[in-house]
Amino acid sequence: MVDANDKLAYFQAITGLEDTDLCEEILTAHGWDLELAISSFTNTANHTPSPEDPSDSGTTSIVSDFGGGDGLRSIPQSSHQSGQSSNAVAAPGFSWRIITLPISVISGSLGLISRAVGLGLWAAGGVLSYSVGMIGLRVGRDGEASAQLLSVPAVGNEAVQFVARFEQDFGTRRPNFVSEGFMDALQRSRNSFKLLFVYLHSPDHPDTPSFCERTLCSEMLVAYVNENFVSWGGSIRASEGFKMSNSLKASRYPFCAVVMAATNQRILLLQQVEGPKSPEEMLSILNRVVEESASVLGTARHEAEQRRINVRLREEQDAAYRAALEADQARENQRREEQERLEREAAEAERKRQEEEEACERAAQEAAEKEAALARMRQEKALSLGAEPEKGPDVTQVVVRFPTGQRKERRFHSAALIQSVYDFVDSLGCVDAESYSLVSNFPRVVYGPEKLSLSLKEAGLHPQASLFLELNS
């Protein structure tokens, strides 16, 4: 008795399907009748879409977690799905299946061998990933590397090489494939509010040359694609092209798809076209996708424009607010500077007033001190003169005339020094000048410092003398 696991493995080997869940659904739908399930799958594989219904070649899908092959979830467009064409080939009979059974077994065996090789490579890759993790490189959740499989320069270089090789093989009249990685191209399409036209190039497929020359490079298709799409192409021989063929579940070539950016690093698969198509068929398919997506792109464009308007409005409001704030700050600074200037002027005026008051106080104090010193000096000199002597033969009468016309006289002993006459004048306080001389007119004699030590008698001023006080300049 063959168990379900053996049937499932045999069905996968015959059909080449890798999705275990899908194989289980097909077998369950046919009551786990292996022959009936294989026959039904063969009928489906041999179905050929009619030119009048190009929508059979693609469905709207969401490809999640870009880069993985298990993220494709197909959502059929019921309004664009058609039945089998009247030209479809009838399902082969039991005798034909018996004839082709050895071929199927051989094919299945090759498939098993290839899976074994793939399993070995997967195991080797797991060991390598573990080794990389052991040396300290960060590994993401569920064993997925946190870093991208391809660096940005690598995928960009692949895109440049693809464009150069495509032009070399098919000429320069082609869709304007961008020379950058797929995710950059997707972001470019999102920023320009266009859909992304994807072409996966299979150099070894027999239909590839004719499709590229007659359809992909046809004048009307090139013009339409360049006007309405951002285009990205990649060879399935290159890393990113092979990666995208797994992500988009490409099963037949030539393969084209129309995608658009979704949220969270996901892409929305709007249409896929598998197998050769004429330019008219491609135009019809692409035109339908453009028309169906026009409202979505228009809404996105409108929202982006509204965001730009809002951003510009906020920037203008912020600029106006900053200008008003700067004006207020300028006025406040000017007011504060004016207030500081007035305070400085008031402080300077107060300082000058205090200095003047202090100067006046010092001058008054100095004048008082000087006056007190003069008073003490007059008193001391008056005391040094002693009592005025009475008239007698040894007494000299001295008269001193001041510039003001005032006249003072006193009696001195004839032996008294001329300095005594100066002390007498100083004790009177009638002269404000600090330097003066006593002078006699007839004959004119100046009794200066050199004669202060002479006695009145020696100086010829006995018994009487009349002296004038002259201020020294």
Side-chain angles (χ1 to χ4, degrees):
M1 180 80 183
V2 180
D3 61 3
N5 290 333
D6 293 337
K7 286 185 178 182
L8 179 61
Y10 186 77
F11 182 83
Q12 286 183 306
I14 295 298
T15 61
L17 292 177
E18 296 179 1
D19 193 335
T20 304
D21 296 336
L22 179 58
C23 292
E24 288 181 352
E25 291 177 3
I26 295 175
L27 288 170
T28 301
H30 294 83
W32 286 89
D33 186 338
L34 187 59
E35 182 180 352
L36 182 59
I38 293 174
S39 176
S40 176
F41 179 82
T42 306
N43 290 341
T44 303
N46 289 335
H47 169 65
T48 304
S50 61
E52 289 80 7
D53 187 12
S55 63
D56 255 355
S57 56
T59 58
T60 301
S61 311
I62 293 179
V63 180
S64 62
D65 302 331
F66 166 71
D70 298 332
L72 186 62
R73 298 290 182 267
S74 298
I75 305 174
Q77 291 181 341
S78 58
S79 61
H80 298 293
Q81 297 298 324
S82 63
Q84 293 184 350
S85 172
S86 59
N87 297 330
V89 180
F94 179 74
S95 58
W96 174 257
R97 287 196 292 275
I98 293 298
I99 294 173
T100 59
L101 182 58
I103 301 175
S104 300
V105 172
I106 295 172
S107 175
S109 301
L110 293 176
L112 288 174
I113 294 172
S114 65
R115 285 171 179 76
V117 174
L119 180 62
L121 294 176
W122 175 82
V127 173
L128 179 60
S129 298
Y130 177 77
S131 302
V132 171
M134 290 297 291
I135 64 175
L137 294 181
R138 182 170 175 238
V139 178
R141 187 178 56 188
D142 300 332
E144 295 179 359
S146 298
Q148 295 182 352
L149 295 179
L150 294 173
S151 63
V152 174
V155 296
N157 187 42
E158 287 183 4
V160 171
Q161 292 178 355
F162 168 75
V163 173
R165 184 59 184 268
F166 191 92
E167 289 185 351
Q168 180 181 352
D169 293 340
F170 306 107
T172 56
R173 187 176 67 188
R174 56 166 177 80
N176 292 330
F177 297 117
V178 294
S179 299
E180 56 194 15
F182 176 82
M183 292 307 293
D184 292 333
L186 189 66
Q187 185 62 36
R188 181 188 293 270
S189 67
R190 184 174 188 174
N191 294 339
S192 59
F193 304 101
K194 290 184 178 182
L195 303 177
L196 180 62
F197 175 79
V198 178
Y199 170 63
L200 297 180
H201 186 69
S202 177
D204 299 327
H205 198 280
D207 293 330
T208 295
S210 60
F211 175 77
C212 291
E213 293 173 355
R214 299 176 184 176
T215 300
L216 195 58
C217 294
S218 65
E219 184 176 357
M220 58 180 180
L221 183 65
V222 168
Y224 186 81
V225 170
N226 290 341
E227 180 180 358
N228 296 279
F229 298 88
V230 173
S231 301
W232 181 86
S235 173
I236 61 174
R237 290 182 178 177
S239 299
E240 192 173 29
F242 179 75
K243 183 179 178 182
M244 289 308 304
S245 68
N246 290 333
S247 296
L248 298 176
K249 296 289 187 181
S251 58
R252 295 178 62 195
Y253 294 93
F255 180 88
C256 299
V258 178
V259 300
M260 68 182 300
T263 58
N264 299 328
Q265 294 294 321
R266 299 187 177 189
I267 59 176
L268 184 64
L269 177 60
L270 302 177
Q271 184 71 45
Q272 61 183 29
V273 182
E274 297 180 299
K277 293 290 184 291
S278 66
E280 292 76 14
E281 290 175 317
M282 287 293 295
L283 278 175
S284 176
I285 296 172
L286 296 180
N287 186 61
R288 175 177 55 78
V289 177
V290 169
E291 290 178 353
E292 292 174 351
S293 306
S295 60
V296 177
L297 296 177
T299 300
R301 186 181 295 105
H302 175 71
E303 291 176 353
E305 181 63 26
Q306 191 63 38
R307 284 194 297 271
R308 282 195 294 270
I309 292 175
N310 293 337
V311 169
R312 186 167 62 250
L313 180 60
R314 284 195 298 271
E315 291 176 350
E316 292 175 354
Q317 291 174 346
D318 292 343
Y321 173 76
R322 287 194 298 271
L325 183 61
E326 291 175 357
D328 292 341
Q329 291 177 346
R331 287 193 294 269
E332 179 64 20
N333 293 336
Q334 184 177 2
R335 185 194 64 78
R336 185 170 59 253
E337 291 175 357
E338 181 65 18
Q339 182 177 357
E340 292 175 354
R341 184 185 64 81
L342 294 176
E343 291 176 354
R344 285 194 304 270
E345 291 179 353
E348 182 68 18
E350 178 66 17
R351 184 184 63 80
K352 289 182 178 180
R353 185 187 64 79
Q354 290 180 356
E355 289 179 354
E356 291 175 356
E357 289 181 355
E358 293 174 357
C360 291
E361 291 177 359
R362 285 195 302 272
Q365 184 177 359
E366 291 175 356
E369 292 176 354
K370 185 177 182 180
E371 184 63 26
L374 290 175
R376 287 194 301 272
M377 183 267 295
R378 286 194 295 269
Q379 183 178 5
E380 291 174 356
K381 289 189 175 184
L383 292 175
S384 65
L385 291 175
E388 183 177 7
E390 296 294 335
K391 295 181 179 179
D394 295 329
V395 175
T396 304
Q397 183 74 28
V398 178
V399 178
V400 179
R401 300 179 187 276
F402 294 89
T404 58
Q406 191 176 5
R407 180 174 176 274
K408 296 291 183 178
E409 62 181 81
R410 189 182 189 282
R411 292 185 296 274
F412 295 90
H413 290 286
S414 61
L417 303 179
I418 294 178
Q419 178 66 52
S420 299
V421 180
Y422 276 92
D423 293 341
F424 168 67
V425 173
D426 291 338
S427 67
L428 296 177
C430 298
V431 182
D432 293 333
E434 295 181 357
S435 179
Y436 63 90
S437 298
L438 295 177
V439 180
S440 62
N441 283 340
F442 302 104
R444 177 178 172 78
V445 178
V446 176
Y447 300 96
E450 69 280 1
K451 295 182 179 182
L452 295 179
S453 59
L454 297 178
S455 66
L456 295 177
K457 189 173 183 179
E458 293 173 345
L461 297 177
H462 183 72
Q464 63 181 7
S466 179
L467 302 175
F468 293 91
L469 188 147
E470 289 184 355
L471 300 178
N472 297 329
S473 56

